Amino acid sequence: MSIIQMGEELIGHPSTAINELVKNAYDADADQCWVYTQYDKDPNRNFLIIKDNGLGMNAEILFGDWLRPSRSSKRDENQEKRKSIIYNRRYLGSKGIGRLAAMALGRYLTVISKQSKENSYNWIRIDREDFRVESLLDTIDFPGGKIKNYLELFNDEEILDASNLKANGNLINLLSNKPFSSFKEGTTIIIQDLDNSIRSLIEEEFNVKDIEQTAIFKSLRDLITPLQLNSKIQEDLLKSKIIEEELKIDNGTGTFELFYGINFIKNQIKGEVDFLPIEPSSILDHFDYRVFGKAFEDGSVNAKYLCRRFSKDEYEKLFNISSEFNLSNEESAVREIEGLSDLEIDSDTGVGEFYFDIRIYDLDSDAKDKMVEILKANGRREATTTFSKYLGLKISKNGFGVKPYGEEEHDWMGLGAKRVQKHIVTIGPNQIIGNIFLYSPQNDGLKEKTNREGFYESKEFINFKKIIAGILEETGRERAKYRLKHNLGRKTKNTLDRPDTEKFIQYILGHSKDEELISKTKQFVIETNDALDNMEGSLSFSQRLASLGTGLELVYHELSQPLSVLGGVKSSLEININKVEDNILKSTLLKRTQNMGGAIDLLEELKKSLQPAIGKSIPKIFKPAETFKKVCHLFEKVFEESSIILEIKNSSLNFEIKNYEYLFWVSFLNILNNAVYWLQFSEKERRVIIFEIDSDEIIISNTGPKIPEDDLDIIFEYGVTSKKEKNATGLGLSFTRNMLAPNGWQIWAENRVYGPAFHIKKIAS
């Protein structure tokens, strides 16, 4: 079972597993590596191939160290020996579990490997299910050996029967053609009966026309882009005299090309699967601002800043950032976000020297129009969606990307939270495509987790983030000055000035004596002024909503530190109270600390309830019932005071959707707000709010007064309200519909026997 745990459980995402196998190809001195995924509705016909033309493994290695978990020939205390044989590449792996990444991808693993001097292929086939037994490893037999024609492993009935496999025509055809048919040396890994995790990943993108927008392609591009940019950034640093000599990650004689193919994207002329080279996106060349440079061991930085926002006003400048600024409390927000604000930081960063290259893109309307042209998109919305797939501040080590930074963990620097506090100078996470280049042994103080999902939260990593935060803040200040100079992000001062209607009436009076014309003009001006008054009121309300949203985000992030402090104070009090000998005093003090604990728990629940309202930029899978409960928590006091009962149907508890959770949080909030208001006018004995899922429809109903039949079709229109309050705006339900519709959801209302019901349902595609 340890094999299962290391393989399946230590690898958090299918793309991480694939990346690990690609890294092994790089470590084996491969010049080229191919990744191919085959999707079929029949699960038994799906497979994944990863092939390289590296040095390959002989029988001794394949049946020896390769089968021994945590054994690695790459592990050596001498840094100079931790390099590949031909190209002197710094090894990307040394823990000896990367090979087990295949366990996270599918049931059947076939490894075929050959060194150039051998006449036969070494092969082994592993059925992952053999490990799901309560027995020792030496009781399990692995089919394997040497074979002249490796295609027999997939078409010979006797060999297939031994592994409970059936012949797969698609796999055999693929292996019989280039590039797989050319196999003089290297390793080919074939995984069959793919797991649900990777099948689902492919199914979601089955209709994607652009292969570059698929998750696996993007992950591979994020993995290899730093390798291809490594020489370019050093060339720029040398030219700018920021460094004196290049820091090589190999001996400079080798290349590493990566290709990806999938069966549902084919060459329309040949009718064959195309393998696309994985290369950096051209969007990198079309930045508005760029900062690149070198960070030193003491935390100081030398950098070059380029501004290319407007062709007629381009400029560049060199700047230095002191270690005092980077490591001072001025950047303590980074530590507070991680809950490590009490961690002592000294001038010995432990990070080592590293390079960085960060490109920033403006999101003003003219910048988006330029992006439409660059990305060949159909409009700004499509351009923004495509651009978002390239975003991220990514980290690489020895030329290859380190997950999850800039990928699954999009805002690992907490820029969204900082933007609330320093809006003008903080660059948003949705504007950055950046790379940070780490190397061995300079940056080995940053320890990568065993599961390849980031670095340990150590003193070194906190210092590392503080240095990056300092770079981004200094860059943000330079950018902010330029944007103010060009009046970017600000409206023209007089845009909202109202027209002088009295002056217009006087003009009419001075040029006409037609009483009817004058009367009509005055009436029109009165109606226009009334409409403008209403619009100003609505705008004022909208500004309050926007301020509320910003306030919620600020409160959400600022609650973390005091809650942490209070929790620590409570624990400390309890320890010291137990030392009190006076039992009466001890009992009284313990009761007080229990009350404090209850208050802390209540604040924690409030914080959790606000989380969906922050509006994360990436869709995720969530349960609407759980989101509804979080919103209901905000109404607990009102429910109690108004004797309102909440019913959540059991059948709805496990229903999941993938979307932006904050859309539903705001929608539920508006619906509940209306329900609570109208239940106050209910003449029924039981005041009930009901949440249920019926045939993928989210339904929220209550026992309050029914909606007038004439209003059912218009209650979602702007400004329509029946509330008996002067400050009622009629914006809540209109705002809800306008949020849901662009994201593929519709909302409508009906009257049931006991009261009104609101339905939210996915729009049929």
Side-chain angles (χ1 to χ4, degrees), residues 4 18 43 59 71 78 83 113 126 130 168 221 261 301 447 453 460 496 501 521 614 630 634:
I4 296 293
I18 294 172
R71 280 291 295 272
N78 187 335
K83 293 182 179 180
S113 196
I126 297 174
D130 288 343
N168 186 331
R221 183 179 57 210
V301 168
K447 301 294 185 183
E453 292 289 335
E460 291 79 10
L496 298 178
T501 52
T521 299
I614 305 306
K630 292 173 186 176
L634 304 176

Side-chain angles (χ1 to χ4, degrees), residues 79-356:
Q79 291 289 340
E80 289 306 310
K81 291 183 179 180
R82 291 178 58 183
K83 293 182 179 180
S84 65
I85 297 171
I86 298 178
Y87 298 129
N88 293 330
R89 293 170 175 168
R90 292 280 184 184
Y91 284 137
L92 301 175
S94 62
K95 294 182 173 63
I97 66 164
R99 70 198 66 144
L100 297 175
M103 292 292 181
L105 295 170
R107 175 174 176 176
Y108 297 102
L109 166 67
T110 304
V111 181
I112 309 165
S113 196
K114 180 180 178 296
Q115 294 188 338
S116 60
K117 296 179 181 179
E118 294 182 296
N119 296 320
S120 300
Y121 297 92
N122 305 300
W123 71 278
I124 191 168
R125 179 169 284 153
I126 297 174
D127 180 354
R128 187 179 62 192
E129 296 307 304
D130 288 343
F131 297 110
R132 298 189 191 274
V133 291
E134 297 292 335
S135 63
L136 297 178
L137 194 58
D138 59 9
T139 64
I140 298 173
D141 293 324
F142 305 106
K146 290 181 175 291
I147 195 166
K148 289 285 186 181
N149 181 5
Y150 63 88
L151 288 178
E152 292 178 7
L153 299 175
F154 305 97
N155 59 24
D156 186 285
E157 291 186 6
E158 186 175 342
I159 297 176
L160 291 171
D161 287 343
S163 303
N164 296 318
L165 279 170
K166 294 182 180 180
N168 186 331
N170 290 332
L171 176 57
I172 295 169
N173 289 336
L174 197 71
L175 293 176
S176 302
N177 291 287
K178 290 183 179 181
F180 301 107
S181 59
S182 178
F183 193 173
K184 294 180 180 179
E185 68 174 334
T187 300
T188 297
I189 295 174
I190 299 165
I191 301 160
Q192 295 171 267
D193 194 359
L194 299 180
D195 275 1
N196 286 332
S197 57
I198 190 167
R199 290 209 311 268
S200 298
L201 201 64
I202 298 171
E203 284 172 357
E204 288 178 8
E205 299 167 336
F206 192 79
N207 294 318
V208 175
K209 295 180 180 179
D210 185 359
I211 193 171
E212 294 190 20
Q213 305 307 320
T214 60
I216 296 176
F217 186 97
K218 181 182 181 300
S219 177
L220 291 171
R221 183 179 57 210
D222 290 341
L223 175 73
I224 200 173
T225 290
L227 182 68
Q228 300 191 12
L229 292 180
N230 180 69
S231 58
K232 181 68 173 68
I233 179 63
Q234 297 202 49
E235 182 183 319
D236 290 345
L237 291 171
L238 284 167
K239 193 179 295 183
S240 301
K241 297 182 179 180
I242 294 175
I243 62 174
E244 296 179 356
E245 61 179 344
E246 188 176 353
L247 182 61
K248 294 184 179 295
I249 58 175
D250 55 34
N251 60 22
T253 61
T255 58
F256 185 74
E257 296 178 296
L258 183 60
F259 304 89
Y260 178 62
I262 187 168
N263 64 301
F264 64 77
I265 299 180
K266 298 184 178 181
N267 186 306
Q268 298 300 319
I269 299 175
K270 298 179 182 178
E272 299 174 352
V273 173
D274 267 343
F275 278 92
L276 293 185
I278 310 290
E279 297 174 338
S281 169
S282 61
I283 191 69
L284 289 173
D285 299 325
H286 298 282
F287 58 86
D288 292 315
Y289 317 91
R290 179 189 176 200
V291 61
F292 62 91
K294 173 182 177 180
F296 295 87
E297 289 185 24
D298 65 352
S300 62
V301 168
N302 286 353
K304 187 171 186 177
Y305 174 81
L306 307 178
C307 178
R308 299 285 184 269
R309 181 65 170 86
F310 295 113
S311 58
K312 295 182 179 180
D313 192 17
E314 295 182 355
Y315 74 95
E316 57 188 51
K317 65 179 290 187
L318 294 171
F319 64 75
N320 303 320
I321 310 174
S322 69
S323 58
E324 288 77 18
F325 173 78
N326 282 338
L327 301 177
S328 70
N329 289 331
E330 193 167 342
E331 291 302 321
S332 61
V334 177
R335 289 154 59 201
E336 291 173 1
I337 290 169
E338 301 298 332
L340 297 168
S341 57
D342 59 340
L343 190 63
E344 289 295 326
I345 304 292
D346 53 40
S347 58
D348 180 17
T349 66
V351 179
E353 295 181 357
F354 64 89
Y355 307 147
F356 57 89

Side-chain angles (χ1 to χ4, degrees), residues 518-555:
I518 293 171
S519 176
K520 288 285 186 181
T521 299
K522 289 182 177 179
Q523 183 62 34
F524 177 75
V525 167
I526 291 171
E527 291 174 357
T528 301
N529 284 337
D530 287 343
L532 289 172
D533 288 339
N534 292 334
M535 288 176 67
E536 284 184 353
S538 297
L539 281 172
S540 175
F541 182 76
S542 297
Q543 287 177 331
R544 285 162 53 201
L545 283 178
S547 299
L548 176 62
T550 302
L552 281 175
E553 188 165 359
L554 183 61
V555 168

Side-chain angles (χ1 to χ4, degrees), residues 4 6 10 31 45 49 63 86 91 100 110 113-114 135 158 190 217 236 324 357 399 454 513 517 570 603 627 648 671:
I4 296 293
M6 284 189 285
L10 285 180
D31 296 317
R45 298 177 66 82
I49 305 176
F63 303 120
I86 298 178
Y91 284 137
L100 297 175
T110 304
S113 196
K114 180 180 178 296
S135 63
E158 186 175 342
I190 299 165
F217 186 97
D236 290 345
E324 288 77 18
D357 183 0
K513 295 182 180 180
L517 174 62
K570 177 178 174 291
L603 285 171
T627 307
I648 299 178
I671 293 171

Side-chain angles (χ1 to χ4, degrees), residues 472-486:
L472 289 172
E473 176 148 343
E474 186 65 26
T475 304
R477 289 175 178 174
E478 192 68 30
R479 171 177 172 266
K481 288 187 291 185
Y482 186 86
R483 287 177 59 79
L484 287 172
K485 171 186 172 183
H486 289 276

Side-chain angles (χ1 to χ4, degrees), residues 720-738:
V720 175
T721 181
S722 300
K723 285 185 177 179
K724 304 168 183 177
E725 293 179 342
K726 288 185 178 179
N727 61 352
T729 63
L731 292 179
L733 291 178
S734 175
F735 183 57
T736 298
R737 183 183 64 178
N738 292 336

Side-chain angles (χ1 to χ4, degrees), residues 660-680:
Y660 299 93
E661 188 180 10
Y662 76 92
L663 296 176
F664 294 82
W665 189 93
V666 173
S667 300
F668 295 161
L669 181 68
N670 282 326
I671 293 171
L672 278 171
N673 206 23
N674 276 281
V676 167
Y677 175 84
W678 287 109
L679 279 170
Q680 297 173 18

